[in-house]
Structure formats: C-alpha cells, structure tokens
Amino acid sequence: MQKDFLAGIIEGFYGAPWTPDERRMVLDWMRDWGLNTYFYGPKDDLKQRLLWRDLYSEEECRTLKELIDDCAERKIQFIYALSPGLDIEFSNPDELSCLKDKVQQLADLGCQNFALLFDDIPDRMSAADRERWDSFAAAQSYVSNEIFHWVQQRFPRGRFLFCPTPYCGRMRSRELGGADYLETLGRELDPAIDVFWTGPEIISETISLAHIEELTQALRRPPLIWDNLHANDYDGQRVYCGPYSGRSIEVRDHVRGILINPNNEAPLNFIAARTLALFVHCESAEWDPRSGYLQAMQEWHREFQSAGKPISLEALIQLGDCYYLPFELGSEATRLHQLAKEALSPDSQKDKPQALEEFKRLATQLRDTCSEIVNLKNRNLFTALSRRTWDLREEMELLLTCVRNLESNPSAPLKSDFHLPGTYRGGMVARLRSLLIQKPDETFVLNTQKP
Ligand code: GDL
C-alpha cells in the first residue's frame, strides 16, 4: 500500500450514529488489519450537517475528543467532515467564519484532517452567490480552498477531502450541480484536495479502471473512493455481509484511497472491513472475493459462540450468503433459492426427489441457525442480527410447511397458523410495495396481481 493511501471506514450513513463502544470495536479491527483511516461524517449528527454552524456542547466535545484519542492510540488518522451544503451562502463572509469556528473547535480537540461534503444537497445557489459565481462548482471550490488554506497553515501535513455534489457517474450524466461541474472543480479546487467518488452509481456493483481514468482526467487528480457497496441505510430490511468485490486490484493502484461507508449495524461490518483490508494489502495481481470472504468468515466465526447449540462454520457461511451484497447472493444462498424453486414445483416428489430432500436439509439448517442467533454470547451481534434473522426464519418455516404439505396432500390449500394476514407481510410499506413491480431494465410496471 502506498504511504499516503487512505484505507478505512467512513461513518457516513443516514441513521443513528455508532456508539463510542461500537467505534472502539471498529477501530480495533482497523488497527489489527492495517486500515489507516476513520472518517467521521454521520449524516444524522445534527451539528455535522443540518445545524453545521452550531458548535458542539462540552459533553459532545468530550465524546469527540475521546474518539480522536482512540484513533491516535491506534495510529489511525481521524478525519472530521462538515456538510454545510444544505443552506450555506458561499459569498457571505460570516459563513466562512462559522466554518472556521467549527474547524477550530475540532482542531482544539486534536483533529488535524478535515473534509467538506456537498453531497445530497439542493443544487441551486442564492441570488447573491449567482452574482459572484457562474457555477456551483466555482462557489464550492472557492469556499473549500479558503478553508483548506486556513487549515494548511495550522496543519501542513493534514489531509483535506471534498465530496462533490455529483459524486457518481449517473449524477454526472444528469448534470447534477450544473454542466461541466467536475471539469470546473478540476480546474479550480486546490490540487492538494482529494475528491470523493462513489463509482458509476451511488451503490456501484463494479468500478472499472476505464471509469477511474476518465474521471481522473476531468478532476485533474485521481479520485478517492467513497464506497457504498456495504451501505444499507437505504433499505431497512437488508444487511451486507459479503466480501469487498467488483473492484479490480488495478483500480486500487489508480485512486488516492478507498474508504467504505458500510452497514449501519457496526458489528455486521466485520466481513466488509476485513475483506477491504485483505484487498488493499493483497499482493497478487488478482483479487478473489470469495476466498477473502471464506477467510474472513473463519475469523468472524469466533464471535458466534452460542450459549445454546453451537453454530458451525458451514452454517454461518450459509447465513452470510443470504446477506451477501446488493447485487449478488452468496453461492449457498443461490443454491438454496434454486432448490426451493425446484422443491415447490408440483411434481417435485416424482421428478426431483433429490432436490426436495436437499432443500429440506439446507432449509432446516438455515432455519435452525436463525433460531440460534438469540443465544449468541455476543449480545451486540445478537441485537444487530435478530430482526433480520427472524424474518429469514419465518420464510424458511413457511417454505418447509409448504413442502411438507405438497408431500402429504398436494391438492389441499396451503395454510400456516404462524403466517396470518395482517401480522405476516402486513403494514403500509408492504401494501405500497405490492403496487409496482420493477423490471431488471429499471422500469416499473403496475402489479396487476395486487390483492
Ligand atoms: C449517499 C450518501 C451516503 C449514504 C449512501 C447510501 C454519499 C456520498 N452520500 O448518497 O451518506 O449513506 O448514499 O445510502 O454516498
């Protein structure tokens, strides 16, 4: 890994920020695995974003100072991000003073690395700003350069990062932030400032070298990857325990760093962080995500000691495969899903008896693992997993009931005393979700089967 390559974790999701203990757990992982950067930017720390002008209270300062010290003890760079973009008036000198006051407050706590984030904001300027600058990118560059130079005088070796308003390929092609936003930024933003990028999409299945090279030209510097591959704040039903994937080793060598913004549930980021570390330190020319995953799973397995029945490594891998990545299930989950489809076909007993038996065995194993989660000795892991594994167990139970019914009386209507209308798959969100179906080409069609 190059000396100044940033590799680590962004706390930058929407939702409740991590607790101090959770942060310490993540920092311990990072120290042990050779990840060098923790980036503080939880969207719902009010004073990080909506109330960015407000200084932190004494108690909040104590918590932040402890975090900064915790990073320093582990030799991890702490970066504080401020997101003034919701309502900053770029041309107003008082706003610059507010930014400096906030940065000074953090500097007093020991922070030397800063970032300004302009993601997820309205892309329009006030009348006064429009008079002074003809583009959003120019206004943001001006303010960022001012703060950067001010910080640089105090901390010549500190890092300074910037998140643009269009931060992925799709946003760029929609001209979010205005035409030629990135080119203007490339020209006007101080070349020592690193610029974040999430890839072709906000959640990018793959990031190719060609994509990075094209972007590097526009920005006049290699980007710094803000990777949302494992972020789950956009869907309350999912978590991602799959490996760092879809980015080749060559990409690593053409960016200023890779920081992942992972699951809201801190304990569930073991695999994401561990495989990122394996990826950034990988010495061969190829990165094999599945091997990284299996290695990381072996390590994570130690956390799955149960006060009840033991959970085998095989069972844990099967569970992890059900919560793999946004665009991909792990191979054991894919297999189980395929077997379920075969087992549910009306003639499965006659045509596919082996598939039926295999399905019953694997589905029972998965159901039992989900049931066992309640007995985990690591109660934080239990809390992080239990709602999800409860849902998965319900589905496994229903499918096993269904298969048993097919075996005993295929023509009888399928019913389960544990899956009743209203309490099973009920609620407003479920009803709304049933109205539209999305096709693989992104388009939506009306669901004509709706109840
Ligand atoms: C985003 C947000 C991020 C959020 C993520 C996933 C960036 C730069 N900003 O767009 O805070 O967690 O999507 O929902 O990625």
Side-chain angles (χ1 to χ4, degrees):
M1 196 162 86
Q2 283 163 15
K3 207 168 103 303
D4 57 352
F5 187 89
L6 298 180
I9 299 205
I10 297 177
E11 187 178 336
F13 44 76
Y14 292 89
W18 291 334
T19 64
D21 280 343
E22 288 177 326
R23 289 180 182 140
R24 269 189 288 273
M25 172 189 69
V26 170
L27 295 175
D28 284 344
W29 292 344
M30 291 172 57
R31 175 202 53 208
D32 293 348
W33 302 336
L35 294 172
N36 61 20
T37 304
Y38 166 84
F39 181 97
Y40 180 92
K43 284 277 189 301
D44 295 324
D45 165 354
L46 286 173
K47 293 180 183 173
Q48 191 278 326
R49 191 165 147 93
L50 182 67
L51 308 179
W52 63 269
R53 295 177 191 81
D54 294 3
L55 294 177
Y56 287 107
S57 68
E58 263 181 45
E59 199 189 325
E60 289 162 339
C61 281
R62 260 197 304 278
T63 307
L64 280 166
K65 166 118 181 57
E66 231 174 73
L67 174 59
I68 293 167
D69 292 347
D70 284 337
C71 286
E73 257 173 47
R74 293 165 179 80
K75 302 202 167 21
I76 291 169
Q77 292 187 81
F78 173 88
I79 303 179
Y80 178 84
L82 194 59
S83 298
L86 286 174
D87 61 356
I88 184 173
E89 190 168 53
F90 296 94
S91 54
N92 181 346
D94 292 346
E95 300 280 64
L96 268 181
S97 305
C98 286
L99 284 173
K100 287 177 185 163
D101 289 348
K102 195 64 169 275
V103 167
Q104 185 64 57
Q105 188 180 38
L106 268 294
D108 291 344
L109 300 176
C111 175
Q112 304 196 357
N113 308 294
F114 294 90
L116 288 179
L117 309 184
F118 293 98
D119 58 322
D120 296 5
I121 56 168
D123 73 337
R124 66 187 119 75
M125 289 193 284
S126 70
D129 289 347
R130 277 199 307 273
E131 242 172 60
R132 180 149 168 207
W133 293 285
D134 57 10
S135 76
F136 212 35
Q140 291 176 356
S141 298
Y142 165 78
V143 163
S144 303
N145 289 341
E146 286 289 308
I147 300 298
F148 168 60
H149 294 138
W150 189 79
V151 170
Q152 205 186 24
Q153 280 169 5
R154 287 157 181 77
F155 308 113
R157 299 221 313 249
R159 297 290 287 246
F160 200 91
L161 321 179
F162 174 95
C163 183
T165 299
Y167 49 86
C168 69
R170 184 180 293 256
M171 291 177 180
R172 185 184 182 196
S173 66
R174 300 283 186 270
E175 299 202 333
L176 195 74
D180 298 327
Y181 174 103
L182 292 184
E183 288 74 9
T184 309
L185 197 70
R187 225 176 26 246
E188 304 209 0
L189 192 69
D190 190 295
I193 301 179
D194 286 316
V195 179
F196 274 123
W197 192 251
T198 65
E201 303 286 348
I202 299 174
I203 320 289
S204 296
E205 182 174 8
T206 57
I207 302 179
S208 71
L209 183 57
H211 177 78
I212 295 297
E213 281 174 343
E214 205 272 316
L215 185 72
T216 300
Q217 279 208 334
L219 288 175
R220 302 188 188 193
R221 74 204 79 195
L224 167 64
I225 300 296
W226 170 310
D227 210 322
N228 286 322
L229 187 64
H230 291 86
N232 71 339
D233 54 1
Y234 57 86
D235 187 338
Q237 292 195 326
R238 300 185 71 185
V239 293
Y240 301 111
C241 298
Y244 191 68
S245 181
R247 291 90 175 107
S248 67
I249 290 288
E250 305 167 286
V251 163
R252 181 190 66 182
D253 300 332
H254 288 81
V255 295
R256 299 300 314 276
I258 303 176
L259 302 178
I260 58 170
N261 175 40
N263 293 292
N264 288 43
E265 296 78 1
L268 302 187
N269 290 317
F270 188 102
I271 302 291
R274 182 68 181 112
T275 55
L276 172 71
L278 292 172
F279 176 85
V280 298
H281 294 292
C282 174
E283 283 178 7
S284 69
E286 295 276 321
W287 162 244
D288 176 6
R290 188 68 187 176
S291 316
Y293 171 75
L294 294 176
Q295 177 184 333
M297 267 295 180
Q298 236 173 22
E299 296 172 19
W300 202 24
H301 186 223
R302 292 180 215 127
E303 293 296 325
F304 280 79
Q305 283 179 30
S306 167
K309 293 198 200 96
I311 296 172
S312 70
L313 177 59
E314 181 200 348
L316 179 61
I317 290 171
Q318 182 192 38
L319 184 71
D321 278 2
C322 297
Y323 301 101
Y324 210 61
L325 292 169
F327 307 95
E328 190 188 346
L329 294 176
S331 51
E332 292 304 310
T334 307
R335 180 153 157 254
L336 182 58
H337 182 229
Q338 183 56 35
L339 285 170
K341 286 193 282 186
E342 289 173 24
L344 290 178
S345 73
D347 297 322
S348 60
Q349 273 190 78
K350 190 155 54 68
D351 297 346
K352 297 185 177 144
Q354 276 174 344
L356 188 67
E357 285 313 308
E358 188 61 352
F359 170 72
K360 283 195 289 188
R361 187 180 75 78
L362 292 175
T364 305
Q365 172 178 285
L366 182 57
R367 182 203 58 194
D368 292 350
T369 311
C370 291
S371 303
E372 204 51 43
I373 293 299
V374 67
N375 296 325
L376 288 181
K377 290 187 186 165
N378 180 336
R379 300 315 280 164
N380 294 329
L381 201 49
F382 153 70
T383 307
L385 271 171
S386 67
R387 302 300 301 242
R388 276 40 176 273
T389 45
W390 186 284
D391 285 350
L392 189 54
R393 187 177 61 85
E394 291 272 297
E395 297 303 328
M396 283 302 115
E397 199 60 68
L398 179 59
L399 290 178
L400 284 165
T401 308
C402 179
V403 165
R404 268 185 244 115
N405 260 39
L406 281 174
E407 282 178 317
S408 59
N409 187 359
S411 55
L414 175 66
K415 279 185 147 195
S416 156
D417 288 341
F418 299 102
H419 300 83
L420 300 173
T423 51
Y424 178 64
R425 295 188 191 166
M428 180 63 168
V429 172
R431 287 189 200 189
L432 295 176
R433 280 185 174 167
S434 74
L435 297 178
L436 293 172
I437 297 176
Q438 188 170 33
K439 297 199 291 180
D441 70 357
E442 294 183 19
T443 58
F444 287 90
V445 289
L446 286 180
N447 181 6
T448 49
Q449 303 278 299
K450 61 181 174 286

